[in-house]
Amino acid sequence: MSDFELQRVALATGVELDVAVAGDPASAPIVLLHGFPESHRTWRHQIPELAKDHFVLAPDQRGFARSSKPEGVENYTPDKPVADLLALADHFEIADFTLVGHDWGGAIAWMAALQNQGRIKHLIIVNAPHPFVFQRLLFDDMDQRAASQYITAFRNPGLDAHIDKIGLSEFFDGSFMRHTDFEKVRDEKPVYLDQWSQPGAMPAMLNWYRASALVVPGMDETPERPAYLDGPFPPLNTPTLVIWGTGDKALLPSNLDGLEAYVPNMTLKKIDAGHFVPWENPEAVTAAMREWLAAQGA
């Protein structure tokens, strides 16, 4: 169920991903990474526009939709999708590229860019927190800590059985009702339910949270503060556009405070939208991307 050509790509990492491919392979490459609980269709409004002058790759990441779903939490540590990303670029013989990520895709994009500053030439982050800033906020900002308690819930191994009990349709309603206008996603509901119903999909998707090393203290906890949170963190010098939907209830605006210290070559574009900004306000997101890319000559 997709409006885009999907290619099944076997990667050197041992997984196969469905990848939306658009545009001229001779054009400047751009890779779009979705987050939870979505797919390449996060970018359904941006793909056709970007494909006018870019070679666009938008994979369904491991664990999602009909892409491979290796068993075991250990197969979803962030280094695994980062390796998938680089292997995907290798498959298409792409040396360097622009990388875009939203939500978990943004987390992978931050990590990939920090580790591969020579290969990822331009970075676009859409409502995804910088890893160091976010971990610090979870210790220091009680509002962000409260907004992130869902992560602990997603890590609960009993959640899988609960979703089986209530059904995917009810889980869909609960997933989006607090974070977006339901009317904006109503037409996509059959697509989500089809993707989530693939064998092993829901546990695999949740394994992204379970495999993460992110520490989310409970609201009544006073854990010892890790010393590294008050130490230096290497800057990301890659030209970076941060697009932020200001109505995000899961990732609060405090994630932007002081971000320029860690990303000195950063442009910030705030947009009137919630967490799922790529399809809540697609025109503004696409315009911001295209304007910034043109300014970068990318």
Side-chain angles (χ1 to χ4, degrees), residues 35-38 42 102-104 126-129 150 175-176 178-180 209 243-252 272-280:
F36 179 93
E38 302 197 277
T42 293
H102 170 256
D103 185 77
W104 259 114
V126 186
N127 282 67
Y150 74 92
S175 298
F176 290 108
R178 291 179 297 159
H179 297 285
T180 190
Y209 291 94
I243 297 173
W244 203 267
T246 55
D248 195 329
K249 296 178 182 178
L251 300 170
L252 305 184
D272 182 17
H275 177 69
F276 296 98
V277 59
W279 45 259
E280 288 184 341

PDB file of all heavy atoms in Angstrom, residues 35-38 42 102-104 126-129 150 175-176 178-180 209 243-252 272-280:
ATOM      1  N   GLY A  35      10.415   7.790  11.506  1.00  0.00           N
ATOM      2  CA  GLY A  35      10.468   7.360  12.895  1.00  0.00           C
ATOM      3  C   GLY A  35       9.322   6.445  13.258  1.00  0.00           C
ATOM      4  O   GLY A  35       8.673   5.840  12.396  1.00  0.00           O
ATOM      5  N   PHE A  36       9.049   6.359  14.544  1.00  0.00           N
ATOM      6  CA  PHE A  36       7.995   5.509  15.093  1.00  0.00           C
ATOM      7  C   PHE A  36       6.686   6.299  15.103  1.00  0.00           C
ATOM      8  O   PHE A  36       6.682   7.479  15.461  1.00  0.00           O
ATOM      9  CB  PHE A  36       8.366   5.116  16.530  1.00  0.00           C
ATOM     10  CG  PHE A  36       7.365   4.251  17.228  1.00  0.00           C
ATOM     11  CD1 PHE A  36       7.474   2.873  17.204  1.00  0.00           C
ATOM     12  CD2 PHE A  36       6.312   4.813  17.937  1.00  0.00           C
ATOM     13  CE1 PHE A  36       6.544   2.068  17.868  1.00  0.00           C
ATOM     14  CE2 PHE A  36       5.388   4.025  18.591  1.00  0.00           C
ATOM     15  CZ  PHE A  36       5.507   2.645  18.554  1.00  0.00           C
ATOM     16  N   PRO A  37       5.582   5.656  14.747  1.00  0.00           N
ATOM     17  CA  PRO A  37       5.399   4.271  14.287  1.00  0.00           C
ATOM     18  C   PRO A  37       5.066   4.243  12.801  1.00  0.00           C
ATOM     19  O   PRO A  37       4.024   3.732  12.396  1.00  0.00           O
ATOM     20  CB  PRO A  37       4.190   3.839  15.136  1.00  0.00           C
ATOM     21  CG  PRO A  37       3.338   5.097  15.227  1.00  0.00           C
ATOM     22  CD  PRO A  37       4.281   6.270  15.134  1.00  0.00           C
ATOM     23  N   GLU A  38       5.932   4.806  11.992  1.00  0.00           N
ATOM     24  CA  GLU A  38       5.577   5.107  10.606  1.00  0.00           C
ATOM     25  C   GLU A  38       6.358   4.281   9.592  1.00  0.00           C
ATOM     26  O   GLU A  38       6.670   3.110   9.822  1.00  0.00           O
ATOM     27  CB  GLU A  38       5.728   6.610  10.377  1.00  0.00           C
ATOM     28  CG  GLU A  38       4.851   7.438  11.336  1.00  0.00           C
ATOM     29  CD  GLU A  38       4.663   8.850  10.882  1.00  0.00           C
ATOM     30  OE1 GLU A  38       5.544   9.695  11.152  1.00  0.00           O
ATOM     31  OE2 GLU A  38       3.626   9.110  10.242  1.00  0.00           O
ATOM     32  N   THR A  42       5.975   8.728   5.950  1.00  0.00           N
ATOM     33  CA  THR A  42       6.186   9.979   6.689  1.00  0.00           C
ATOM     34  C   THR A  42       6.446  11.114   5.708  1.00  0.00           C
ATOM     35  O   THR A  42       6.007  12.249   5.920  1.00  0.00           O
ATOM     36  CB  THR A  42       7.406   9.842   7.626  1.00  0.00           C
ATOM     37  OG1 THR A  42       7.116   8.892   8.647  1.00  0.00           O
ATOM     38  CG2 THR A  42       7.778  11.175   8.263  1.00  0.00           C
ATOM     39  N   HIS A 102      13.332  12.226  10.906  1.00  0.00           N
ATOM     40  CA  HIS A 102      12.271  12.664  11.828  1.00  0.00           C
ATOM     41  C   HIS A 102      12.128  11.635  12.944  1.00  0.00           C
ATOM     42  O   HIS A 102      12.209  10.432  12.703  1.00  0.00           O
ATOM     43  CB  HIS A 102      10.934  12.790  11.087  1.00  0.00           C
ATOM     44  CG  HIS A 102       9.748  13.004  11.995  1.00  0.00           C
ATOM     45  ND1 HIS A 102       8.854  11.997  12.284  1.00  0.00           N
ATOM     46  CD2 HIS A 102       9.338  14.092  12.686  1.00  0.00           C
ATOM     47  CE1 HIS A 102       7.924  12.465  13.112  1.00  0.00           C
ATOM     48  NE2 HIS A 102       8.202  13.731  13.362  1.00  0.00           N
ATOM     49  N   ASP A 103      11.920  12.099  14.183  1.00  0.00           N
ATOM     50  CA  ASP A 103      11.664  11.209  15.317  1.00  0.00           C
ATOM     51  C   ASP A 103      12.828  10.223  15.448  1.00  0.00           C
ATOM     52  O   ASP A 103      13.979  10.640  15.480  1.00  0.00           O
ATOM     53  CB  ASP A 103      10.305  10.528  15.113  1.00  0.00           C
ATOM     54  CG  ASP A 103       9.843   9.672  16.275  1.00  0.00           C
ATOM     55  OD1 ASP A 103       9.380  10.221  17.289  1.00  0.00           O
ATOM     56  OD2 ASP A 103       9.961   8.437  16.175  1.00  0.00           O
ATOM     57  N   TRP A 104      12.557   8.903  15.509  1.00  0.00           N
ATOM     58  CA  TRP A 104      13.652   7.945  15.609  1.00  0.00           C
ATOM     59  C   TRP A 104      14.591   8.049  14.402  1.00  0.00           C
ATOM     60  O   TRP A 104      15.800   7.834  14.510  1.00  0.00           O
ATOM     61  CB  TRP A 104      13.116   6.521  15.723  1.00  0.00           C
ATOM     62  CG  TRP A 104      13.139   6.009  17.124  1.00  0.00           C
ATOM     63  CD1 TRP A 104      12.070   5.689  17.914  1.00  0.00           C
ATOM     64  CD2 TRP A 104      14.306   5.735  17.923  1.00  0.00           C
ATOM     65  NE1 TRP A 104      12.492   5.250  19.149  1.00  0.00           N
ATOM     66  CE2 TRP A 104      13.862   5.266  19.175  1.00  0.00           C
ATOM     67  CE3 TRP A 104      15.674   5.853  17.697  1.00  0.00           C
ATOM     68  CZ2 TRP A 104      14.736   4.912  20.200  1.00  0.00           C
ATOM     69  CZ3 TRP A 104      16.555   5.510  18.712  1.00  0.00           C
ATOM     70  CH2 TRP A 104      16.083   5.044  19.943  1.00  0.00           C
ATOM     71  N   VAL A 126      14.145  16.879  11.755  1.00  0.00           N
ATOM     72  CA  VAL A 126      12.758  17.309  11.926  1.00  0.00           C
ATOM     73  C   VAL A 126      12.230  16.719  13.238  1.00  0.00           C
ATOM     74  O   VAL A 126      12.016  15.508  13.352  1.00  0.00           O
ATOM     75  CB  VAL A 126      11.879  16.856  10.739  1.00  0.00           C
ATOM     76  CG1 VAL A 126      10.474  17.455  10.867  1.00  0.00           C
ATOM     77  CG2 VAL A 126      12.507  17.257   9.409  1.00  0.00           C
ATOM     78  N   ASN A 127      12.046  17.565  14.218  1.00  0.00           N
ATOM     79  CA  ASN A 127      11.529  17.150  15.534  1.00  0.00           C
ATOM     80  C   ASN A 127      12.166  15.855  16.019  1.00  0.00           C
ATOM     81  O   ASN A 127      11.512  14.832  16.211  1.00  0.00           O
ATOM     82  CB  ASN A 127      10.003  17.041  15.500  1.00  0.00           C
ATOM     83  CG  ASN A 127       9.343  18.405  15.593  1.00  0.00           C
ATOM     84  OD1 ASN A 127       9.481  19.203  14.666  1.00  0.00           O
ATOM     85  ND2 ASN A 127       8.658  18.675  16.690  1.00  0.00           N
ATOM     86  N   ALA A 128      13.455  15.951  16.228  1.00  0.00           N
ATOM     87  CA  ALA A 128      14.226  14.857  16.816  1.00  0.00           C
ATOM     88  C   ALA A 128      15.307  15.496  17.677  1.00  0.00           C
ATOM     89  O   ALA A 128      16.065  16.337  17.183  1.00  0.00           O
ATOM     90  CB  ALA A 128      14.844  13.972  15.746  1.00  0.00           C
ATOM     91  N   PRO A 129      15.408  15.123  18.933  1.00  0.00           N
ATOM     92  CA  PRO A 129      16.315  15.825  19.837  1.00  0.00           C
ATOM     93  C   PRO A 129      17.767  15.411  19.662  1.00  0.00           C
ATOM     94  O   PRO A 129      18.072  14.258  19.353  1.00  0.00           O
ATOM     95  CB  PRO A 129      15.809  15.408  21.224  1.00  0.00           C
ATOM     96  CG  PRO A 129      15.236  14.038  21.002  1.00  0.00           C
ATOM     97  CD  PRO A 129      14.622  14.084  19.627  1.00  0.00           C
ATOM     98  N   TYR A 150       6.364   7.881  28.361  1.00  0.00           N
ATOM     99  CA  TYR A 150       5.857   6.887  27.412  1.00  0.00           C
ATOM    100  C   TYR A 150       6.960   5.935  26.967  1.00  0.00           C
ATOM    101  O   TYR A 150       6.691   4.786  26.597  1.00  0.00           O
ATOM    102  CB  TYR A 150       5.216   7.572  26.199  1.00  0.00           C
ATOM    103  CG  TYR A 150       6.212   8.177  25.238  1.00  0.00           C
ATOM    104  CD1 TYR A 150       6.698   7.452  24.161  1.00  0.00           C
ATOM    105  CD2 TYR A 150       6.673   9.477  25.423  1.00  0.00           C
ATOM    106  CE1 TYR A 150       7.625   8.004  23.277  1.00  0.00           C
ATOM    107  CE2 TYR A 150       7.601  10.032  24.555  1.00  0.00           C
ATOM    108  CZ  TYR A 150       8.068   9.298  23.493  1.00  0.00           C
ATOM    109  OH  TYR A 150       8.989   9.836  22.622  1.00  0.00           O
ATOM    110  N   SER A 175      -2.212   6.188  19.714  1.00  0.00           N
ATOM    111  CA  SER A 175      -0.898   6.665  19.287  1.00  0.00           C
ATOM    112  C   SER A 175      -0.952   8.101  18.779  1.00  0.00           C
ATOM    113  O   SER A 175      -0.029   8.884  18.997  1.00  0.00           O
ATOM    114  CB  SER A 175      -0.332   5.772  18.179  1.00  0.00           C
ATOM    115  OG  SER A 175      -0.139   4.460  18.641  1.00  0.00           O
ATOM    116  N   PHE A 176      -2.030   8.436  18.094  1.00  0.00           N
ATOM    117  CA  PHE A 176      -2.070   9.722  17.414  1.00  0.00           C
ATOM    118  C   PHE A 176      -2.995  10.749  18.049  1.00  0.00           C
ATOM    119  O   PHE A 176      -2.795  11.947  17.868  1.00  0.00           O
ATOM    120  CB  PHE A 176      -2.474   9.517  15.945  1.00  0.00           C
ATOM    121  CG  PHE A 176      -1.425   8.838  15.130  1.00  0.00           C
ATOM    122  CD1 PHE A 176      -1.592   7.532  14.708  1.00  0.00           C
ATOM    123  CD2 PHE A 176      -0.253   9.485  14.792  1.00  0.00           C
ATOM    124  CE1 PHE A 176      -0.619   6.891  13.968  1.00  0.00           C
ATOM    125  CE2 PHE A 176       0.732   8.857  14.048  1.00  0.00           C
ATOM    126  CZ  PHE A 176       0.542   7.556  13.634  1.00  0.00           C
ATOM    127  N   ARG A 178      -3.339  11.974  20.939  1.00  0.00           N
ATOM    128  CA  ARG A 178      -2.730  12.958  21.840  1.00  0.00           C
ATOM    129  C   ARG A 178      -1.728  13.847  21.125  1.00  0.00           C
ATOM    130  O   ARG A 178      -1.287  14.849  21.685  1.00  0.00           O
ATOM    131  CB  ARG A 178      -2.036  12.249  23.006  1.00  0.00           C
ATOM    132  CG  ARG A 178      -2.986  11.565  23.978  1.00  0.00           C
ATOM    133  CD  ARG A 178      -2.205  10.881  25.084  1.00  0.00           C
ATOM    134  NE  ARG A 178      -1.348   9.825  24.550  1.00  0.00           N
ATOM    135  CZ  ARG A 178      -0.281   9.333  25.174  1.00  0.00           C
ATOM    136  NH1 ARG A 178       0.080   9.839  26.331  1.00  0.00           N
ATOM    137  NH2 ARG A 178       0.434   8.367  24.634  1.00  0.00           N
ATOM    138  N   HIS A 179      -1.370  13.498  19.919  1.00  0.00           N
ATOM    139  CA  HIS A 179      -0.262  14.190  19.262  1.00  0.00           C
ATOM    140  C   HIS A 179      -0.627  14.873  17.959  1.00  0.00           C
ATOM    141  O   HIS A 179       0.202  15.591  17.405  1.00  0.00           O
ATOM    142  CB  HIS A 179       0.880  13.197  19.014  1.00  0.00           C
ATOM    143  CG  HIS A 179       1.468  12.643  20.277  1.00  0.00           C
ATOM    144  ND1 HIS A 179       2.305  13.376  21.079  1.00  0.00           N
ATOM    145  CD2 HIS A 179       1.322  11.442  20.876  1.00  0.00           C
ATOM    146  CE1 HIS A 179       2.661  12.649  22.132  1.00  0.00           C
ATOM    147  NE2 HIS A 179       2.084  11.471  22.022  1.00  0.00           N
ATOM    148  N   THR A 180      -1.819  14.646  17.448  1.00  0.00           N
ATOM    149  CA  THR A 180      -2.173  15.275  16.184  1.00  0.00           C
ATOM    150  C   THR A 180      -3.687  15.369  16.071  1.00  0.00           C
ATOM    151  O   THR A 180      -4.439  14.720  16.819  1.00  0.00           O
ATOM    152  CB  THR A 180      -1.611  14.486  14.989  1.00  0.00           C
ATOM    153  OG1 THR A 180      -1.769  15.257  13.787  1.00  0.00           O
ATOM    154  CG2 THR A 180      -2.307  13.160  14.803  1.00  0.00           C
ATOM    155  N   TYR A 209      12.920   1.250  21.078  1.00  0.00           N
ATOM    156  CA  TYR A 209      12.951   1.872  22.405  1.00  0.00           C
ATOM    157  C   TYR A 209      13.688   0.981  23.401  1.00  0.00           C
ATOM    158  O   TYR A 209      14.460   1.471  24.236  1.00  0.00           O
ATOM    159  CB  TYR A 209      11.527   2.132  22.891  1.00  0.00           C
ATOM    160  CG  TYR A 209      10.817   3.206  22.117  1.00  0.00           C
ATOM    161  CD1 TYR A 209      10.007   2.889  21.029  1.00  0.00           C
ATOM    162  CD2 TYR A 209      10.957   4.547  22.458  1.00  0.00           C
ATOM    163  CE1 TYR A 209       9.358   3.882  20.309  1.00  0.00           C
ATOM    164  CE2 TYR A 209      10.317   5.544  21.743  1.00  0.00           C
ATOM    165  CZ  TYR A 209       9.515   5.206  20.671  1.00  0.00           C
ATOM    166  OH  TYR A 209       8.880   6.187  19.949  1.00  0.00           O
ATOM    167  N   ILE A 243      14.258  21.640  11.693  1.00  0.00           N
ATOM    168  CA  ILE A 243      12.861  22.032  11.524  1.00  0.00           C
ATOM    169  C   ILE A 243      12.112  21.559  12.761  1.00  0.00           C
ATOM    170  O   ILE A 243      12.203  20.377  13.126  1.00  0.00           O
ATOM    171  CB  ILE A 243      12.252  21.411  10.254  1.00  0.00           C
ATOM    172  CG1 ILE A 243      12.988  21.927   9.011  1.00  0.00           C
ATOM    173  CG2 ILE A 243      10.769  21.703  10.159  1.00  0.00           C
ATOM    174  CD1 ILE A 243      12.556  21.244   7.717  1.00  0.00           C
ATOM    175  N   TRP A 244      11.376  22.459  13.401  1.00  0.00           N
ATOM    176  CA  TRP A 244      10.744  22.097  14.667  1.00  0.00           C
ATOM    177  C   TRP A 244       9.275  22.519  14.693  1.00  0.00           C
ATOM    178  O   TRP A 244       8.956  23.698  14.607  1.00  0.00           O
ATOM    179  CB  TRP A 244      11.479  22.758  15.836  1.00  0.00           C
ATOM    180  CG  TRP A 244      11.265  22.017  17.123  1.00  0.00           C
ATOM    181  CD1 TRP A 244      10.306  22.260  18.066  1.00  0.00           C
ATOM    182  CD2 TRP A 244      12.016  20.890  17.595  1.00  0.00           C
ATOM    183  NE1 TRP A 244      10.420  21.358  19.107  1.00  0.00           N
ATOM    184  CE2 TRP A 244      11.460  20.509  18.843  1.00  0.00           C
ATOM    185  CE3 TRP A 244      13.094  20.172  17.087  1.00  0.00           C
ATOM    186  CZ2 TRP A 244      11.954  19.435  19.581  1.00  0.00           C
ATOM    187  CZ3 TRP A 244      13.590  19.108  17.816  1.00  0.00           C
ATOM    188  CH2 TRP A 244      13.023  18.744  19.048  1.00  0.00           C
ATOM    189  N   GLY A 245       8.406  21.520  14.792  1.00  0.00           N
ATOM    190  CA  GLY A 245       6.995  21.794  15.019  1.00  0.00           C
ATOM    191  C   GLY A 245       6.802  22.225  16.458  1.00  0.00           C
ATOM    192  O   GLY A 245       7.052  21.456  17.388  1.00  0.00           O
ATOM    193  N   THR A 246       6.379  23.447  16.658  1.00  0.00           N
ATOM    194  CA  THR A 246       6.378  24.045  17.993  1.00  0.00           C
ATOM    195  C   THR A 246       5.291  23.476  18.910  1.00  0.00           C
ATOM    196  O   THR A 246       5.333  23.701  20.115  1.00  0.00           O
ATOM    197  CB  THR A 246       6.214  25.566  17.899  1.00  0.00           C
ATOM    198  OG1 THR A 246       5.019  25.873  17.149  1.00  0.00           O
ATOM    199  CG2 THR A 246       7.412  26.189  17.188  1.00  0.00           C
ATOM    200  N   GLY A 247       4.341  22.739  18.341  1.00  0.00           N
ATOM    201  CA  GLY A 247       3.281  22.164  19.162  1.00  0.00           C
ATOM    202  C   GLY A 247       3.557  20.747  19.616  1.00  0.00           C
ATOM    203  O   GLY A 247       2.647  20.072  20.120  1.00  0.00           O
ATOM    204  N   ASP A 248       4.795  20.281  19.472  1.00  0.00           N
ATOM    205  CA  ASP A 248       5.166  18.912  19.849  1.00  0.00           C
ATOM    206  C   ASP A 248       4.982  18.732  21.358  1.00  0.00           C
ATOM    207  O   ASP A 248       5.598  19.439  22.151  1.00  0.00           O
ATOM    208  CB  ASP A 248       6.624  18.661  19.458  1.00  0.00           C
ATOM    209  CG  ASP A 248       6.999  17.186  19.478  1.00  0.00           C
ATOM    210  OD1 ASP A 248       6.434  16.428  20.277  1.00  0.00           O
ATOM    211  OD2 ASP A 248       7.880  16.798  18.686  1.00  0.00           O
ATOM    212  N   LYS A 249       4.158  17.749  21.749  1.00  0.00           N
ATOM    213  CA  LYS A 249       3.904  17.491  23.165  1.00  0.00           C
ATOM    214  C   LYS A 249       4.840  16.443  23.744  1.00  0.00           C
ATOM    215  O   LYS A 249       4.910  16.280  24.964  1.00  0.00           O
ATOM    216  CB  LYS A 249       2.450  17.053  23.354  1.00  0.00           C
ATOM    217  CG  LYS A 249       1.443  18.121  22.979  1.00  0.00           C
ATOM    218  CD  LYS A 249       0.015  17.619  23.131  1.00  0.00           C
ATOM    219  CE  LYS A 249      -0.992  18.689  22.705  1.00  0.00           C
ATOM    220  NZ  LYS A 249      -2.402  18.185  22.802  1.00  0.00           N
ATOM    221  N   ALA A 250       5.551  15.719  22.866  1.00  0.00           N
ATOM    222  CA  ALA A 250       6.486  14.707  23.342  1.00  0.00           C
ATOM    223  C   ALA A 250       7.896  15.261  23.469  1.00  0.00           C
ATOM    224  O   ALA A 250       8.656  14.859  24.357  1.00  0.00           O
ATOM    225  CB  ALA A 250       6.483  13.500  22.404  1.00  0.00           C
ATOM    226  N   LEU A 251       8.267  16.167  22.569  1.00  0.00           N
ATOM    227  CA  LEU A 251       9.591  16.784  22.567  1.00  0.00           C
ATOM    228  C   LEU A 251       9.394  18.289  22.725  1.00  0.00           C
ATOM    229  O   LEU A 251       8.935  18.962  21.804  1.00  0.00           O
ATOM    230  CB  LEU A 251      10.330  16.454  21.267  1.00  0.00           C
ATOM    231  CG  LEU A 251      10.549  14.959  21.018  1.00  0.00           C
ATOM    232  CD1 LEU A 251      11.053  14.719  19.606  1.00  0.00           C
ATOM    233  CD2 LEU A 251      11.523  14.373  22.048  1.00  0.00           C
ATOM    234  N   LEU A 252       9.719  18.796  23.890  1.00  0.00           N
ATOM    235  CA  LEU A 252       9.387  20.163  24.247  1.00  0.00           C
ATOM    236  C   LEU A 252      10.396  21.154  23.668  1.00  0.00           C
ATOM    237  O   LEU A 252      11.523  20.774  23.301  1.00  0.00           O
ATOM    238  CB  LEU A 252       9.321  20.282  25.766  1.00  0.00           C
ATOM    239  CG  LEU A 252       8.367  19.294  26.448  1.00  0.00           C
ATOM    240  CD1 LEU A 252       8.297  19.561  27.955  1.00  0.00           C
ATOM    241  CD2 LEU A 252       6.969  19.344  25.830  1.00  0.00           C
ATOM    242  N   ASP A 272       4.481  25.823  12.591  1.00  0.00           N
ATOM    243  CA  ASP A 272       3.233  25.616  13.331  1.00  0.00           C
ATOM    244  C   ASP A 272       2.721  24.204  13.039  1.00  0.00           C
ATOM    245  O   ASP A 272       2.067  23.960  12.027  1.00  0.00           O
ATOM    246  CB  ASP A 272       2.202  26.662  12.911  1.00  0.00           C
ATOM    247  CG  ASP A 272       0.890  26.521  13.684  1.00  0.00           C
ATOM    248  OD1 ASP A 272       0.885  25.853  14.746  1.00  0.00           O
ATOM    249  OD2 ASP A 272      -0.135  27.070  13.218  1.00  0.00           O
ATOM    250  N   ALA A 273       3.056  23.278  13.929  1.00  0.00           N
ATOM    251  CA  ALA A 273       2.636  21.887  13.783  1.00  0.00           C
ATOM    252  C   ALA A 273       2.974  21.159  15.072  1.00  0.00           C
ATOM    253  O   ALA A 273       3.670  21.682  15.946  1.00  0.00           O
ATOM    254  CB  ALA A 273       3.334  21.222  12.597  1.00  0.00           C
ATOM    255  N   GLY A 274       2.484  19.924  15.171  1.00  0.00           N
ATOM    256  CA  GLY A 274       2.824  19.083  16.297  1.00  0.00           C
ATOM    257  C   GLY A 274       4.008  18.194  15.964  1.00  0.00           C
ATOM    258  O   GLY A 274       4.827  18.510  15.104  1.00  0.00           O
ATOM    259  N   HIS A 275       4.071  17.054  16.637  1.00  0.00           N
ATOM    260  CA  HIS A 275       5.232  16.180  16.481  1.00  0.00           C
ATOM    261  C   HIS A 275       5.369  15.648  15.058  1.00  0.00           C
ATOM    262  O   HIS A 275       6.481  15.531  14.533  1.00  0.00           O
ATOM    263  CB  HIS A 275       5.130  15.006  17.454  1.00  0.00           C
ATOM    264  CG  HIS A 275       6.247  14.021  17.318  1.00  0.00           C
ATOM    265  ND1 HIS A 275       7.553  14.321  17.668  1.00  0.00           N
ATOM    266  CD2 HIS A 275       6.272  12.745  16.835  1.00  0.00           C
ATOM    267  CE1 HIS A 275       8.314  13.277  17.432  1.00  0.00           C
ATOM    268  NE2 HIS A 275       7.576  12.306  16.924  1.00  0.00           N
ATOM    269  N   PHE A 276       4.266  15.321  14.409  1.00  0.00           N
ATOM    270  CA  PHE A 276       4.312  14.702  13.078  1.00  0.00           C
ATOM    271  C   PHE A 276       4.275  15.777  11.988  1.00  0.00           C
ATOM    272  O   PHE A 276       3.478  15.742  11.054  1.00  0.00           O
ATOM    273  CB  PHE A 276       3.160  13.707  12.926  1.00  0.00           C
ATOM    274  CG  PHE A 276       3.258  12.544  13.883  1.00  0.00           C
ATOM    275  CD1 PHE A 276       2.534  12.537  15.053  1.00  0.00           C
ATOM    276  CD2 PHE A 276       4.106  11.477  13.621  1.00  0.00           C
ATOM    277  CE1 PHE A 276       2.625  11.469  15.948  1.00  0.00           C
ATOM    278  CE2 PHE A 276       4.213  10.410  14.497  1.00  0.00           C
ATOM    279  CZ  PHE A 276       3.471  10.409  15.673  1.00  0.00           C
ATOM    280  N   VAL A 277       5.198  16.697  12.117  1.00  0.00           N
ATOM    281  CA  VAL A 277       5.208  17.894  11.281  1.00  0.00           C
ATOM    282  C   VAL A 277       5.333  17.609   9.792  1.00  0.00           C
ATOM    283  O   VAL A 277       4.781  18.363   8.985  1.00  0.00           O
ATOM    284  CB  VAL A 277       6.284  18.879  11.786  1.00  0.00           C
ATOM    285  CG1 VAL A 277       7.649  18.262  11.767  1.00  0.00           C
ATOM    286  CG2 VAL A 277       6.268  20.176  11.018  1.00  0.00           C
ATOM    287  N   PRO A 278       6.037  16.541   9.313  1.00  0.00           N
ATOM    288  CA  PRO A 278       6.152  16.373   7.858  1.00  0.00           C
ATOM    289  C   PRO A 278       4.820  16.237   7.143  1.00  0.00           C
ATOM    290  O   PRO A 278       4.718  16.615   5.970  1.00  0.00           O
ATOM    291  CB  PRO A 278       6.992  15.095   7.714  1.00  0.00           C
ATOM    292  CG  PRO A 278       7.804  15.046   8.961  1.00  0.00           C
ATOM    293  CD  PRO A 278       6.871  15.556  10.030  1.00  0.00           C
ATOM    294  N   TRP A 279       3.799  15.675   7.829  1.00  0.00           N
ATOM    295  CA  TRP A 279       2.497  15.601   7.167  1.00  0.00           C
ATOM    296  C   TRP A 279       1.428  16.460   7.843  1.00  0.00           C
ATOM    297  O   TRP A 279       0.334  16.619   7.310  1.00  0.00           O
ATOM    298  CB  TRP A 279       2.004  14.158   7.027  1.00  0.00           C
ATOM    299  CG  TRP A 279       2.127  13.264   8.220  1.00  0.00           C
ATOM    300  CD1 TRP A 279       3.085  12.316   8.450  1.00  0.00           C
ATOM    301  CD2 TRP A 279       1.226  13.164   9.337  1.00  0.00           C
ATOM    302  NE1 TRP A 279       2.858  11.651   9.633  1.00  0.00           N
ATOM    303  CE2 TRP A 279       1.716  12.145  10.198  1.00  0.00           C
ATOM    304  CE3 TRP A 279       0.043  13.808   9.693  1.00  0.00           C
ATOM    305  CZ2 TRP A 279       1.087  11.777  11.398  1.00  0.00           C
ATOM    306  CZ3 TRP A 279      -0.589  13.458  10.879  1.00  0.00           C
ATOM    307  CH2 TRP A 279      -0.068  12.455  11.715  1.00  0.00           C
ATOM    308  N   GLU A 280       1.729  17.045   8.972  1.00  0.00           N
ATOM    309  CA  GLU A 280       0.786  17.978   9.582  1.00  0.00           C
ATOM    310  C   GLU A 280       0.841  19.345   8.905  1.00  0.00           C
ATOM    311  O   GLU A 280      -0.178  20.020   8.759  1.00  0.00           O
ATOM    312  CB  GLU A 280       1.086  18.133  11.076  1.00  0.00           C
ATOM    313  CG  GLU A 280       0.707  16.926  11.904  1.00  0.00           C
ATOM    314  CD  GLU A 280       0.927  17.141  13.383  1.00  0.00           C
ATOM    315  OE1 GLU A 280       1.683  18.060  13.764  1.00  0.00           O
ATOM    316  OE2 GLU A 280       0.352  16.392  14.171  1.00  0.00           O
TER     317      GLU A 280
END
